[in-house]
Amino acid sequence: MAIKHFNHIIFDLDGTLTDPGVGITRSIQYALAKYGKTEKTAALYKCIGPPLRDSFCNYFGFTMEQAEEAVSYYREYFSEHGIFENEVYPGIPELLEELKADNRIIYLATTKPVIYAEKILRHFNLFDYFTAVSGSNLDGTNGAKSELIAGIIRNYRINQPVTAVMIGDRKYDIEGAKANGISSIGVGYGYGEPGELADAFPDYIAETVPALNKILL
């Protein structure tokens, strides 16, 4: 498949730009402990990507009311500790620098609350690469990836979908791109489960950051 030239590049955050595994899993374990539940770290990686409330309901049998409470417990740990128990994937700052130098317009679309996403980008000196940071609200609204992408397309007047691409490590990123008629790149170094990306049929798959660089540049 020929590689297109994308002027508008939308990145996911967790599992795509940064590896948040330690902070997110510890925050979930902290919340689960409030209910007398324990879970091994590796079993919680599937919770990295989808909206947090959905994960508490889908994987732990919580009601929506319990999930809302669990999210508040999660944030007790995450806001103080977990948010920075996080690492930028090697090669990402250089990739963003090259894209910026090539006059590409870069956006972030994450289901993480935007207030946390901005703090993480600033902490790792990545914030200035982004024209827009789109994330969920603290009450869980605006949390679907398709909504976040649609908002970027609308607010930044991306009138030619062929010029835009969504990059992420989970099926939600690929599905969100398809819902908005734009291309997608799945990254295999993140937290997608085995076969998840292939089953979502992204336009491209990059198993490494250098492979992603090659597709984009």
Side-chain angles (χ1 to χ4, degrees):
M1 181 184 294
I3 297 173
K4 300 176 183 176
H5 179 89
F6 299 110
N7 292 321
H8 300 276
I9 301 175
I10 308 172
F11 283 97
D12 172 46
L13 178 60
D14 294 336
T16 302
L17 298 178
T18 71
D19 182 350
V22 173
I24 289 179
T25 56
R26 286 181 178 174
S27 300
I28 294 173
Q29 288 167 333
Y30 175 89
L32 291 176
K34 299 290 187 179
Y35 301 90
K37 296 178 180 286
T38 59
E39 190 59 83
K40 292 181 179 179
T41 298
L44 297 175
Y45 291 149
K46 61 191 174 187
C47 300
I48 300 174
L52 192 55
R53 289 168 180 80
D54 292 351
S55 291
F56 280 118
C57 291
N58 295 335
Y59 301 130
F60 306 107
F62 284 21
T63 65
M64 281 304 297
E65 184 178 21
Q66 288 173 322
E68 193 67 37
E69 182 181 56
V71 168
S72 69
Y73 290 137
Y74 171 98
R75 288 176 179 162
E76 285 180 3
Y77 183 92
F78 186 81
S79 62
E80 294 294 324
H81 308 286
I83 188 170
F84 299 129
E85 292 175 326
N86 196 349
E87 294 181 352
V88 179
Y89 286 113
I92 287 296
E94 293 82 0
L95 172 59
L96 294 175
E97 181 68 33
E98 287 189 66
L99 290 171
K100 198 75 171 179
D102 197 39
N103 296 313
R104 312 295 184 91
I105 306 172
I106 308 171
Y107 313 85
L108 190 82
T110 174
T111 57
K112 187 183 295 299
V114 67
I115 187 173
Y116 294 148
E118 289 183 348
K119 283 183 179 180
I120 291 167
L121 292 178
R122 291 184 189 281
H123 177 74
F124 291 119
N125 297 314
L126 301 178
F127 185 82
D128 289 343
Y129 291 113
F130 292 85
T131 293
V133 176
S134 182
S136 66
N137 301 317
L138 286 170
D139 64 4
T141 56
N142 198 42
K145 193 58 65 86
S146 58
E147 289 182 82
L148 296 165
I149 295 170
I152 290 171
I153 291 172
R154 181 177 61 253
N155 294 334
Y156 293 88
R157 299 179 181 178
I158 304 175
N159 297 320
Q160 295 179 299
V162 71
T163 65
V165 63
M166 175 70 210
I167 303 166
D169 66 315
R170 301 298 306 270
K171 64 181 180 181
Y172 313 100
D173 302 301
I174 311 309
E175 291 167 352
K178 290 180 184 296
N180 286 282
I182 67 172
S183 295
S184 60
I185 302 172
V187 296
Y189 55 80
Y191 284 91
E193 298 191 60
E196 178 180 331
L197 282 177
D199 290 345
F201 298 103
D203 294 286
Y204 311 93
I205 292 180
E207 294 293 347
T208 63
V209 175
L212 178 60
N213 188 304
K214 187 174 181 179
I215 293 170
L216 292 175
L217 291 163

